[in-house]
Amino acid sequence: MIIHGIINGNYSGRHRGHRVPKAQSRKKLLKRFCFALRLSSYSYITQGRKIMDILQGLNPQQRDAVTHINGPILVLAGAGSGKTRVIIYRIAHLLSQGISPKHILAVTFTNKAAAEMKKRIEQFNETMDINGLWINTFHSASLRILRAHYPKKNFTIYDESDKSTVVKAVLKETNYDVKPNSVGSFISQCKNKMQTPSNHKPINFWEERMLNCYKLYQEQLEKHNGLDFDDIIMKTIHLFQESPQVLSHYQTRFNYLMVDEYQDTNYSQYLLIRMLAEKHHNICVVGDDDQSIYGFRGADISNILNFEKDYPSIKTVRLEQNYRSTKPILDTANRVIEFNRNRKGKQLWTEKTVGAKVEFRLLRNEHDEANFVVRTISEAMSRENRKLIDFVVLYRVNAQSRVLEDAFRMANIPYTIVGGMSFYSRKEIKDILSYLKIIVNPLDAVALKRIVNVPSRKIGASLVEKLEKYATINNLHLFEAMEKAELIDTLSDTQVKAVERFIKLIKKFMAIKDTMSISKLLNMLLLDSGYLESLKQEKTEEDKDRIENIKELVNVAVEFESKEQGIGLEDFLGSISLVANIDLWDDSSCVTLMTLHNVKGLEFPYVFLTGMEEGLFPHINSLNSDNIEEERRLCYVGMTRAKEKLLMTAASSRKLYGYGTGMPSCFILEAGIR
DNA sequence: TTATGATGGCTTTTT
DNA sequence: GCCATCATAA
Ligand SMILES: Nc1ncnc2c1ncn2[C@@H]1O[C@H](COP(=O)(O)OP(=O)(O)OP(=O)(O)O)[C@@H](O)[C@H]1O
């Protein structure tokens, strides 16, 4: 059976995540995966090119920003005005001026954007060495710094699901009846604001309980030597605060700082940059206050709006020409965003004064909507000679993708979905990565408990409980308790044997981990742990897929090793933890489906904005919490992705939790579409 | 220890 | 309305 859709290694929950890309698509996924992992610097020599050449392809304002080398600079400009281009050209220009790549740090929003930027800079064809140039996300840059200086270097990274595991354990312990998610986001918010359990004062009972959860959670993480995503930034700042010489090292090293998408930075990220820029103030940030869409995870527009307060000598550059969209699209987007009150208004014009008009279609239900999208794409392909990669279908929530996906599959149109169940969150991948985590960091009890009995080794829940009890009483880590299994008198002989066998397995790999390549280690692990064998025994389709996925992970390791010489297991694990859905995106000959959040920074000739209904978009929660401005910005982001055609749709009735109001979104009215 | 039904959760999500 | 997770029973 050939499945046209799932090409990207993303799996909608529809088939309970068991559906897997076929062979050809796997290769693609692999390629992309490795590309996304190419995070650190590497050497690259190119042929000469003059400064003037670099400055060509820029308008006077952009040139102004690019050639302003020393001192703080803010580029505050609307969508598609060439802000990202400024950063790319600025780096190329700095290098052409003889500035060492080692002195440059550029921060992007995603790994994909970082990789893209690096590629573009290489293409400048200068005789320049970009060895030592850092283009990273906040997280991957911070991770590199922590790896080099954190006291306990073998820490492992806790992803959202690991975090949730710990939070649930904490809730069980405290008997609090609150949703794990709300605790998780409370903790996140605190960390984003640099609040530790001790320096945060609770203002009410609820906060007091939350704070208690935070405290217990953090104790667990410290004990396991695990860092969650927010810790990566927070701990880097703590490191800088506690070790002035480390901070000083990076302040001197990174003489030129640049941040893209600055409007979506949170407080901790702001602080990190401010610390690094403190000595020289050579900082260039670019962004658009109208495109701040990550408020829900702590992003704070005032970072960009108040930027000048920290740097009084700032040079501010406005870019006013939009190079992306036609006038009808730009006008529509501008009309909508002008309904926001909390913004710095800006002018935007385009040379593309003629273009297809922006359309809105109200369909009967979500199936009609999906079929309409599919039909419109087929027609545009045959009539206007459009290609699959010209299209993007956007939606507010991931749950909307299912119906669209079905329609694409029915119509046999290749598509790819960004988001949903990704490769690295699959069970078998997480299992194998957990083995690796323990080998690196045996204190990681989340990883340990995850695989201690996978495949089954007769170390079930009750036995683990006994071990944990022993560990707690004797103030030991779970792993240490397991090492001492023979001393625990509540265990039977067979139980002791089972535990000892497991410990022996792990210790063997701990001893050899640095003596061989990661892929070789992985292959050995797959055999010795019995993991592969246990899958081979079960002959279901699902298990075959799992084996394929595991093979793919081995390939990722092979690829990774060939790119990065002398890479350690820690670095491999770290890089994998920081790979985002959008980093894995590859649009080669398919239509792309994704959420509005994921599309930020991208552009497409033909954009569908689906589910334009009151309650869905703007989302009901934002209406309740008086946060419609962020929704409107999201709408602005979506609209301004379109180069040539913007087509919005809504459904009068929709079967999707409580969203079915059927009323067209207020944004449609604001856009002035009849 | 695994299969099953009940339960609750449901925005975006980093990374 | 749909799905994942969890507790329970076989
Ligand atoms: N001076 C220029 N001349 C021609 N094309 C340009 C120029 N500057 C930018 N562009 C093109 O305009 C498009 C948008 O540029 P870019 O992505 O840098 O804008 P942006 O401001 O970062 O956009 P957004 O904020 O919407 O993500 C790109 O296709 C880019 O190649």
Side-chain angles (χ1 to χ4, degrees):
Chain A
M1 180 179 59
I2 291 171
I3 299 153
H4 268 283
I6 325 244
I7 285 173
N8 191 352
N10 294 305
Y11 317 83
S12 78
R14 175 55 163 288
H15 309 282
R16 298 195 162 245
H18 300 329
R19 189 179 287 265
V20 154
K22 296 298 157 193
Q24 139 271 29
S25 39
R26 280 209 182 86
K27 267 196 208 111
K28 266 197 212 162
L29 168 63
L30 169 63
K31 217 176 87 210
R32 229 164 306 132
F33 205 80
C34 295
F35 187 61
L37 294 181
R38 275 169 59 191
L39 303 175
S40 56
S41 49
Y42 50 94
S43 164
Y44 194 89
I45 309 285
T46 50
Q47 265 79 61
R49 209 196 204 197
K50 298 225 176 67
I51 300 165
M52 276 318 291
D53 286 350
I54 295 178
L55 299 180
Q56 267 173 20
L58 293 176
N59 64 33
Q61 294 77 29
Q62 288 176 314
R63 207 168 297 162
D64 202 11
V66 164
T67 54
H68 181 88
I69 293 179
N70 291 303
I73 173 161
L74 164 68
V75 179
L76 183 71
S81 58
K83 296 184 294 295
T84 303
R85 181 177 279 225
V86 164
I87 300 237
I88 293 167
Y89 281 60
R90 197 162 183 276
I91 295 170
H93 182 247
L94 289 175
L95 294 172
S96 77
Q97 296 290 89
I99 286 161
S100 162
K102 279 203 172 67
H103 288 313
I104 300 172
L105 167 65
V107 180
T108 58
F109 197 69
T110 62
N111 292 310
K112 188 182 172 61
E116 191 105 5
M117 211 173 252
K118 203 164 243 177
K119 204 173 92 200
R120 295 277 305 277
I121 289 162
E122 288 173 0
Q123 282 168 359
F124 267 106
N125 226 15
E126 301 255 338
T127 313
M128 58 194 182
D129 170 19
I130 63 164
N131 193 26
L133 172 65
W134 278 37
I135 303 182
N136 287 115
T137 61
F138 274 104
H139 292 269
S140 56
S142 302
L143 184 60
R144 287 177 78 175
I145 294 171
L146 287 177
R147 249 344 144 196
H149 306 281
Y150 197 64
K152 299 177 280 176
K153 285 191 180 48
N154 65 333
F155 61 83
T156 39
I157 293 171
Y158 277 31
D159 67 14
E160 270 322 285
S161 81
D162 299 328
K163 180 176 175 180
S164 165
T165 306
V166 178
V167 167
K168 278 174 195 156
V170 165
L171 287 176
K172 202 165 199 174
E173 193 186 323
T174 56
N175 263 326
Y176 291 161
D177 186 22
V178 282
K179 296 175 207 159
N181 263 349
S182 64
V183 179
S185 64
F186 176 85
I187 294 171
S188 257
Q189 275 171 21
C190 288
K191 289 183 174 179
N192 290 161
K193 289 187 231 148
M194 298 301 296
Q195 289 163 340
T196 59
S198 48
N199 72 15
H200 183 298
K201 290 272 158 297
I203 52 164
N204 55 34
F205 180 60
W206 182 85
E207 269 208 349
E208 201 178 296
R209 295 211 311 188
M210 284 292 174
L211 211 57
N212 192 33
C213 292
Y214 179 16
K215 187 166 150 267
L216 294 168
Y217 169 86
Q218 203 57 28
E219 279 168 11
Q220 286 299 305
L221 258 67
E222 307 276 340
K223 195 175 149 201
H224 300 166
N225 196 12
L227 299 187
D228 65 23
F229 288 125
D230 305 307
D231 280 337
I232 295 174
I233 312 284
M234 190 172 79
K235 296 279 179 187
T236 305
I237 293 172
H238 287 161
L239 172 75
F240 284 165
Q241 287 168 339
E242 285 154 21
S243 322
Q245 75 285 1
V246 174
L247 171 60
S248 178
H249 170 256
Y250 285 101
Q251 284 173 330
T252 320
R253 171 173 177 157
F254 296 128
N255 254 315
Y256 297 94
L257 305 172
M258 273 155 276
V259 186
D260 198 5
E261 307 278 13
Y262 191 70
Q263 74 282 353
D264 271 323
T265 52
N266 61 35
Y267 176 74
S268 62
Q269 293 165 340
Y270 153 83
L271 201 59
L272 194 63
I273 286 297
R274 200 183 71 187
M275 289 173 99
L276 286 173
E278 202 180 304
K279 278 193 184 154
H280 47 66
H281 284 199
N282 289 335
I283 165 136
C284 168
V285 306
V286 313
D288 177 3
D289 52 327
D290 291 329
Q291 292 187 64
S292 173
I293 56 174
Y294 282 94
F296 68 91
R297 66 176 212 229
D300 186 356
I301 318 189
S302 53
N303 285 347
I304 195 163
L305 296 178
N306 298 336
F307 189 70
E308 43 214 357
K309 289 206 179 127
D310 283 329
Y311 306 96
S313 66
I314 188 137
K315 177 185 178 71
T316 303
V317 173
R318 296 282 189 138
L319 307 176
E320 303 192 321
Q321 180 171 2
N322 174 302
Y323 291 94
R324 182 182 294 142
S325 314
T326 62
K327 190 160 190 299
I329 295 166
L330 201 56
D331 286 348
T332 307
N334 280 336
R335 270 198 297 277
V336 171
I337 199 66
E338 268 167 27
F339 280 84
N340 271 4
R341 316 205 72 216
N342 180 23
R343 65 185 288 257
K344 285 197 178 172
K346 37 184 119 59
Q347 296 294 313
L348 260 192
W349 62 277
T350 171
E351 276 173 355
K352 303 175 190 166
T353 49
V354 286
K357 77 171 195 210
V358 176
E359 283 183 83
F360 170 65
R361 285 292 288 273
L362 179 64
L363 287 305
R364 210 167 34 131
N365 56 40
E366 71 272 31
H367 300 286
D368 283 8
E369 182 188 45
N371 289 328
F372 172 75
V373 169
V374 167
R375 208 173 341 109
T376 310
I377 288 176
S378 305
E379 282 172 16
M381 285 177 69
S382 53
R383 286 197 201 142
E384 302 168 33
N385 205 21
R386 299 235 181 232
K387 296 194 287 295
L388 290 163
I389 56 166
D390 291 345
F391 302 96
V392 68
V393 183
L394 302 176
Y395 37 83
R396 181 64 179 82
V397 303
N398 277 315
Q400 285 171 261
S401 71
R402 172 144 312 111
V403 179
L404 289 162
E405 204 181 340
D406 286 344
F408 277 99
R409 199 179 302 121
M410 293 293 284
N412 252 339
I413 296 180
Y415 66 94
T416 179
I417 295 186
V418 177
M421 167 85 82
S422 78
F423 178 71
Y424 54 87
S425 55
R426 313 215 72 214
K427 182 190 179 298
E428 61 277 19
I429 301 302
K430 288 214 74 175
D431 286 347
I432 300 303
L433 292 176
S434 292
Y435 275 100
L436 296 181
K437 283 183 174 187
I438 298 165
I439 292 164
V440 166
N441 172 20
L443 307 189
D444 186 338
V446 172
L448 180 57
K449 280 194 262 180
R450 182 184 176 99
I451 51 81
V452 68
N453 206 29
V454 182
S456 173
R457 317 191 157 80
K458 304 250 158 61
I459 307 180
S462 60
L463 175 49
V464 171
E465 207 165 290
K466 281 183 193 164
L467 290 162
E468 277 191 306
K469 198 173 255 166
Y470 181 83
T472 315
I473 292 168
N474 296 283
N475 199 21
L476 294 171
H477 289 284
L478 178 56
F479 191 84
E480 293 170 329
M482 292 176 81
E483 287 177 305
K484 297 189 169 148
E486 64 200 323
L487 306 178
I488 306 173
D489 44 22
T490 51
L491 304 189
S492 71
D493 277 0
T494 45
Q495 287 181 318
V496 172
K497 286 240 167 58
V499 173
E500 280 176 344
R501 210 172 305 128
F502 174 75
I503 290 292
K504 202 170 153 220
L505 172 80
I506 299 299
K507 282 198 164 165
K508 174 184 158 190
F509 282 95
M510 286 163 78
I512 60 172
K513 81 177 171 68
D514 293 321
T515 66
M516 61 175 72
S517 68
I518 299 166
S519 52
K520 206 163 163 204
L521 189 86
L522 254 174
N523 275 320
M524 263 179 84
L525 180 71
L526 289 169
L527 293 177
D528 289 7
S529 66
Y531 199 96
L532 212 51
E533 196 53 38
S534 74
L535 286 180
K536 278 182 180 155
Q537 274 169 12
E538 323 228 349
K539 280 261 186 289
T540 62
E541 191 64 27
E542 196 189 318
D543 289 309
K544 282 188 199 147
D545 287 345
R546 295 221 154 116
I547 292 173
E548 285 304 304
N549 284 328
I550 288 171
K551 281 188 187 150
E552 192 163 307
L553 183 66
V554 176
N555 288 336
V556 169
V558 171
E559 212 38 44
F560 195 76
E561 285 154 8
S562 70
K563 291 253 159 54
E564 316 266 334
Q565 301 293 310
I567 199 94
L569 192 53
E570 294 85 352
D571 304 294
F572 178 66
L573 286 173
S575 299
I576 283 180
S577 303
L578 297 184
V579 171
N581 284 322
I582 190 72
D583 299 332
L584 298 171
W585 173 59
D586 176 33
D587 63 350
S588 43
S589 31
C590 16
V591 175
T592 302
L593 280 65
M594 64 173 112
T595 61
L596 285 153
H597 284 87
N598 270 311
V599 84
K600 191 175 72 159
L602 306 176
E603 55 187 29
F604 294 83
Y606 206 126
V607 172
F608 290 90
L609 252 174
T610 66
M612 298 295 295
E613 296 138 42
E614 204 64 14
L616 179 56
F617 188 37
H619 196 274
I620 181 80
N621 294 3
S622 73
L623 297 171
N624 294 339
S625 63
D626 195 24
N627 203 12
I628 195 176
E629 295 217 340
E630 181 151 318
E631 294 287 299
R632 198 175 278 114
R633 290 194 290 270
L634 195 52
C635 182
Y636 177 75
V637 167
M639 289 173 158
T640 54
R641 299 308 98 195
K643 289 161 117 170
E644 294 160 24
K645 178 76 186 178
L646 173 61
L647 178 42
M648 295 181 280
T649 59
S652 309
S653 119
R654 185 182 295 274
K655 280 191 217 95
L656 189 67
Y657 181 48
Y659 305 126
T661 66
M663 296 254 298
S665 165
C666 58
F667 302 144
I668 294 296
L669 304 176
E670 292 169 7
I673 296 168
R674 283 147 294 121

